């Protein structure tokens, strides 16, 4: 996993949010994805944003 790529947070039907590389999100359109945030420049930025989304009630904690 390289930091030179973008990262997305995706919310699945179950309510959980996952951090995935941009190639995985842009290459396929998954019907299980309800919402998508990003791209973020680093995985650390995406993790910080996911924590905020969990605190705001938009994502379930894992």
């Amino acid at each position: 996993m390289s930091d030179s790529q973008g990262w997305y947070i995706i919310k699945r039907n179950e309510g959980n949010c996952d951090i995935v590389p941009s190639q995985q999100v842009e290459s396929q359109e998954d019907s299980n994805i309800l919402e998508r945030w990003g791209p973020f420049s680093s995985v650390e930025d995406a993790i910080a944003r996911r924590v905020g989304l969990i605190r705001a009630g938009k994502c379930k904690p894992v």
Side-chain angles (χ1 to χ4, degrees), residues 25-45:
V25 174
E26 294 166 356
S27 66
Q28 64 181 5
E29 203 50 47
D30 191 352
S31 62
N32 289 332
I33 298 175
L34 296 178
E35 291 185 71
R36 167 172 90 175
W37 297 272
F40 300 99
S41 59
S42 69
V43 70
E44 291 84 9
D45 290 341

Side-chain angles (χ1 to χ4, degrees), residues 1-55:
M1 291 185 196
S2 170
D3 284 340
S4 64
Q5 62 187 353
W7 297 89
Y8 282 89
I9 301 171
I10 57 169
K11 181 176 181 180
R12 301 198 186 269
N13 287 339
E14 301 84 30
N16 297 333
C17 291
D18 297 324
I19 298 171
V20 297
S22 59
Q23 293 89 358
Q24 185 177 347
V25 174
E26 294 166 356
S27 66
Q28 64 181 5
E29 203 50 47
D30 191 352
S31 62
N32 289 332
I33 298 175
L34 296 178
E35 291 185 71
R36 167 172 90 175
W37 297 272
F40 300 99
S41 59
S42 69
V43 70
E44 291 84 9
D45 290 341
I47 291 170
R49 178 68 172 149
R50 183 174 68 173
V51 169
L53 291 169
I54 290 170
R55 289 182 177 169

